[in-house]
Amino acid sequence: MSNILQELESEIASLKTSVTKSNVGVVREIGDGVAKIEGLSDVMLNEMIEFPGGLYGLALNLEETEVGVVLMGSGLNIKEGDEVRTTGRLLQVPVGREMLGRTVDSLGAPLDGKGEIKADAQYPVEKIAPGIIARQSVSVPVQTGIQAIDAMIPVGRGQRELIIGDRQTGKTTIAVDTIISQANQNRAAAEGKLKDHKPIYCIYVAIGQKLSNVARIIQTLENAGAMEYTTVVTEAASEPACKQYLAPYTGCAIGEWFMDQGEDVLIVFDDLSKHAVAYREMSLVLRRPSGREAYPGDVFYLHSRLLERSARLSEKEGGGSMTALPIVETQAGDVSAYIPTNVISITDGQIFLETDLFYQGIRPAISVGLSVSRVGSAAQTKAIKKVSGTTKLDLAQYRELQAFAQFGSDLDEKTKATLDRGARIVELFKQNQYSPIPLELQVSTLWAMQNGHFDDVAVENVKDCQLKMEEFLSTRKDEVMAKLRDAKAITEEIGAELKAAVEDFKKSYKAPSAE
Amino acid sequence: MKGSKDAQRIARQLMKATVIDGRVDASVVRTVMVKLATDKPRGYLGVLNVYSHLVRLELKKSHAVIESAKPLGAVLEANVLADLKGKYGTQLTSEFKSNPELLGGMRVRVGSDVWDGSVRERLVRLREKFG
Ligand SMILES: Nc1ncnc2c1ncn2[C@@H]1O[C@H](COP(=O)(O)OP(=O)(O)OP(=O)(O)O)[C@@H](O)[C@H]1O
Ligand SMILES: [Mg+2]
């Protein structure tokens, strides 16, 4: 109590003498969430501008005689002639450990009714990305728990891997599964069941989505016990374009705080197509010149400066990392449209999802031929690398041969073997949503496949056999699984035990009778 | 006020010629007006509109508005003005206003710079701090 009195008194004392200097301007035009301001000669780009009634805006257009300010709330009470002032502050958001488990908007204000968030610091929403010297190359994996990705398109910590595909192809699901997988591993590590695992905290940024969609995703994360490791930043489609535009940068700032503490984070931008649309809308009311597909000319910079902030910092800088999974929606699979080409060029690879595959029931609908990870293989665990080496090639060959195989029935032995193997890999890589597979089970499955243990199982039974084997291994062969989990490699000893375990299972396995 | 792109470009060029040594030169303004009004080039009205807007903005930059809760009195006014001229140059024009809403103290505005030492401002800042 006496503290606050002292504070009050000293504040009054300083106010008695102080004169505040500010830079002011006058509203000349208002509408569409944008105000044109005359004056403000000292304004900085991205500075917060204070309007009457406690409303803030962001100075985005600095012209010779006027400044374009986008409002961060409803400007219904603002009228022409109102005086506004600079604040000397760039937009900042609260960051810190208490952000975990919370859902916030692009100003960092809680949306989940769980009370105030005690911030550890305020971070600027726009920040220069770490330079080359502060970085180190990607070498530690992000285990997504999605078998097809971990085996063929591995993602490393600090990498930027794009998830791209038409609408309703399972893009969001891949991101959500990856978050759930991180939560599972974090929890296992905390319980001492996963050796040498550095936790990954997750940030899911929802841009311009339907409220109901976001609510469902949060519920999914809650149900999977992933929310306690996750922050959700959301600006729904109904929010002003400016707030949607800010959301990914806000998410980034929240992630950077963890990275600066030497922690690892994963951030999902769902999605950057809607983000670009929000930016286009803003630019339109700011009357900026537009270019290709009516996007303003700097839309490339919009996403490059965002994704550049993902990094793996050197040990000297604390060794933290931020892995980014931006999502982009394509129209009819067209990756040559403006936003897809831009984002492809600034990421380290892409996971390409195809509508056709999705409707054939191949889910996740990952197109093997068009998906790549340019840096992730350096981070892939030894065990997976050993058993998945040729898988991507096998599958690609399978897809190619499949087209030919439809025409002729007399195939040579080698072709037939490739087709048989391919069909089984496709089955093995089908995976239900929200059920990430731990590393040791992925390795076991791939090992069994490589060593022909699925060859005598009919293609339509492969999935059933795989699920039962996973169940068998995790309940009955926990010892081998634990060894594999710890070693993250198939040593001679583990290899022998794995062989025995799989053979053990195969003896007892009965395929479901076809009725 | 916006005017076409061309009007803006031309007006801006004229404006460059109008500001001499950091101040609006009245004789240039007059010349521009007469020339535009007699020659009547295409879109001259638009140019004039933008030009006059720019001139007004430029003049504002060297115009001080000094508000106080009660009239300051001749001596104080002269002191304040001398101070401001020391800071902004002798071409500074000025106007004094009394504004009871300030409650006490003074508020000076030159261009878009504001020095606010009024009681009202202090109360506002205090409320922000403890609100
Ligand atoms: N592996 C999967 N197995 C079964 N169903 C899936 C799988 N992945 C996605 N789905 C289902 O497909 C639908 C679309 O998935 P999702 O919302 O992830 O796609 P999206 O590409 O993000 O869609 P949008 O374009 O609407 O954002 C959902 O109903 C989801 O439950
Ligand atoms: Mg989606």
Side-chain angles (χ1 to χ4, degrees):
Chain A
M1 200 60 215
S2 70
N3 253 351
I4 189 81
L5 270 180
Q6 262 171 14
E7 205 181 319
L8 187 63
E9 270 162 18
S10 73
E11 196 62 38
I12 290 172
S14 78
L15 280 171
K16 267 184 189 153
T17 50
S18 81
V19 173
T20 52
K21 176 175 191 251
S22 55
N23 199 255
V24 299
V26 174
V27 177
R28 224 191 64 196
E29 221 184 298
I30 178 117
D32 289 332
V34 168
K36 301 273 182 163
I37 313 286
E38 211 170 78
L40 294 180
S41 57
D42 285 352
V43 73
M44 299 179 283
L45 189 63
N46 285 322
E47 184 172 352
M48 302 260 276
I49 305 296
E50 189 185 339
F51 285 76
L55 177 72
Y56 285 92
L58 200 61
L60 281 178
N61 248 32
L62 311 187
E63 289 169 15
E64 236 177 304
T65 58
E66 62 179 29
V67 177
V69 175
V70 279
L71 305 176
M72 295 193 284
S74 118
L76 291 180
N77 298 322
I78 309 297
K79 51 191 187 312
E80 241 176 86
D82 278 352
E83 191 177 276
V84 304
R85 67 163 93 199
T86 59
T87 59
R89 280 182 288 136
L90 298 181
L91 181 56
Q92 292 188 327
V93 290
V95 296
R97 202 160 298 273
E98 280 202 10
M99 298 304 282
L100 294 177
R102 304 300 302 266
T103 302
V104 298
D105 70 3
S106 59
L107 301 179
L111 296 172
D112 50 11
K114 291 185 190 161
E116 205 180 311
I117 300 174
K118 207 177 110 295
D120 289 307
Q122 299 278 329
Y123 262 35
V125 162
E126 293 274 1
K127 202 173 170 195
I128 306 289
I132 269 287
I133 298 170
R135 296 178 186 238
Q136 61 174 318
S137 57
V138 170
S139 65
V140 182
V142 173
Q143 209 64 43
T144 66
I146 300 166
Q147 184 138 5
I149 295 177
D150 289 341
M152 297 184 295
I153 323 155
V155 179
R157 297 189 185 194
Q159 185 176 344
R160 300 156 301 175
E161 183 77 10
L162 170 65
I163 301 171
I164 185 169
D166 282 3
R167 53 177 299 277
Q168 289 288 304
T169 47
K171 303 182 296 297
T172 301
T173 304
I174 286 193
V176 169
D177 280 353
T178 306
I179 293 177
I180 295 174
S181 171
Q182 302 320 307
N184 290 349
Q185 293 169 69
N186 294 350
R187 189 167 300 108
E191 289 166 356
K193 289 182 207 149
L194 196 57
K195 242 175 52 184
D196 302 329
H197 178 82
K198 191 171 164 196
I200 296 185
Y201 300 102
C202 301
I203 298 161
Y204 176 78
V205 184
I207 309 155
Q209 296 193 40
K210 279 201 263 141
L211 278 172
S212 57
N213 243 347
V214 182
R216 197 167 51 237
I217 290 164
I218 294 173
Q219 193 57 51
T220 304
L221 292 174
E222 291 271 10
N223 294 348
M227 241 348 246
E228 62 180 288
Y229 301 103
T230 307
T231 304
V232 175
V233 180
T234 175
E235 287 295 350
S238 50
E239 296 299 320
C242 169
K243 291 188 81 187
Q244 293 182 39
Y245 153 79
L246 283 174
Y249 302 100
T250 301
C252 222
I254 294 170
E256 271 160 353
W257 182 83
F258 284 103
M259 183 160 73
D260 287 347
Q261 311 305 306
E263 313 259 24
D264 288 342
V265 272
L266 172 94
I267 186 162
V268 175
F269 302 112
D270 195 359
D271 59 62
L272 292 187
S273 307
K274 294 195 187 73
H275 183 237
V277 168
Y279 187 61
R280 177 168 66 187
E281 205 178 306
M282 262 170 54
S283 303
L284 221 61
V285 285
L286 285 169
R287 297 204 204 94
R288 286 186 177 170
S290 54
R292 191 173 155 193
E293 291 178 29
Y295 287 107
D298 61 346
V299 71
F300 176 79
Y301 177 59
L302 176 79
H303 290 149
S304 69
R305 74 174 195 267
L306 174 70
L307 294 170
E308 272 303 315
R309 285 160 73 178
S310 296
R312 177 154 180 254
L313 297 179
S314 65
E315 293 310 322
K316 198 162 150 255
E317 300 289 326
S321 75
M322 180 151 64
T323 309
L325 297 180
I327 295 179
V328 162
E329 183 182 305
T330 49
Q331 311 292 330
D334 181 12
V335 290
S336 66
Y338 195 25
I339 302 301
T341 27
N342 275 349
V343 181
I344 285 174
S345 73
I346 41 185
T347 44
D348 308 306
Q350 70 272 350
I351 295 166
F352 189 84
L353 303 177
E354 272 182 311
T355 311
D356 284 354
L357 294 174
F358 191 85
Y359 286 111
Q360 286 164 31
I362 301 174
R363 303 179 189 178
I366 299 170
S367 159
V368 180
L370 293 175
S371 301
V372 287
S373 169
R374 281 189 274 275
V375 295
S377 72
Q380 203 171 26
T381 28
K382 269 207 207 92
I384 292 218
K385 198 175 251 171
K386 184 161 178 192
V387 289
S388 67
T390 59
T391 315
K392 197 169 183 218
L393 197 65
D394 288 347
L395 258 189
Q397 278 178 350
Y398 165 68
R399 287 272 149 74
E400 223 166 86
L401 286 175
Q402 210 184 10
F404 289 111
Q406 291 169 0
F407 300 113
S409 52
D410 43 333
L411 302 166
D412 63 78
E413 278 306 303
K414 190 159 168 287
T415 311
K416 213 168 151 306
T418 311
L419 283 171
D420 283 348
R421 179 55 65 86
R424 283 171 178 78
I425 301 177
V426 169
E427 287 305 310
L428 292 173
F429 281 162
K430 285 183 186 170
Q431 187 173 335
N432 228 332
Q433 55 189 343
Y434 316 140
S435 38
I437 306 174
L439 173 80
E440 64 275 14
L441 291 181
Q442 290 191 20
V443 173
S444 306
T445 301
L446 290 169
W447 181 89
M449 182 268 296
Q450 290 270 322
N451 290 283
H453 290 282
F454 288 110
D455 290 354
D456 57 353
V457 180
V459 171
E460 63 271 23
N461 292 330
V462 163
K463 193 83 236 169
D464 174 76
C465 179
Q466 176 195 13
L467 291 176
K468 285 186 177 141
M469 188 177 89
E470 284 176 358
E471 161 101 32
F472 176 86
L473 291 175
S474 47
T475 53
R476 309 266 294 275
K477 299 287 172 184
D478 194 41
E479 222 172 286
V480 203
M481 290 301 107
K483 276 186 200 165
L484 191 50
R485 192 158 54 220
D486 288 347
K488 292 190 174 63
I490 308 175
T491 59
E492 216 163 291
E493 180 201 340
I494 293 175
E497 286 181 40
L498 189 57
K499 185 161 185 278
V502 170
E503 277 167 359
D504 215 7
F505 164 75
K506 281 295 292 295
K507 259 184 258 153
S508 67
Y509 174 70
K510 275 196 214 56
S513 53
E515 278 156 75
Chain B
M1 195 115 43
K2 191 83 190 162
S4 73
K5 281 236 167 72
D6 275 345
Q8 280 184 49
R9 190 175 42 81
I10 297 168
R12 226 175 281 139
Q13 277 169 356
L14 290 172
M15 196 60 209
K16 260 189 205 138
T18 308
V19 181
I20 295 170
D21 290 339
R23 53 189 290 195
V24 174
D25 190 311
S27 66
V28 178
V29 176
R30 237 168 267 126
T31 316
V32 167
M33 273 193 316
V34 171
K35 192 100 179 99
L36 281 176
T38 47
D39 289 5
K40 294 197 169 66
R42 214 165 68 96
Y44 77 104
L45 261 180
V47 175
L48 259 182
N49 263 335
V50 180
Y51 180 68
S52 75
H53 178 65
L54 292 176
V55 170
R56 195 167 53 79
L57 284 180
E58 193 59 39
L59 284 175
K60 253 195 194 167
K61 282 188 196 164
S62 54
H63 183 72
V65 180
I66 301 115
E67 291 174 280
S68 52
K70 280 182 283 196
L72 293 176
V75 180
L76 204 48
E77 281 190 8
N79 276 343
V80 170
L81 201 55
D83 251 15
L84 287 173
K85 283 192 170 167
K87 199 168 170 55
Y88 285 95
T90 49
Q91 77 277 21
L92 190 78
T93 57
S94 63
E95 74 187 281
F96 287 86
K97 284 183 181 170
S98 61
N99 178 0
E101 278 180 19
L102 296 182
L103 302 173
M106 216 189 327
R107 183 179 200 265
V108 179
R109 172 167 177 173
V110 183
S112 57
D113 285 342
V114 170
W115 277 270
D116 202 329
S118 70
V119 173
R120 180 186 63 181
E121 172 71 9
R122 292 175 205 184
L123 289 176
V124 167
R125 293 297 149 205
L126 203 60
R127 192 178 58 209
E128 270 171 17
K129 191 102 183 174
F130 294 97

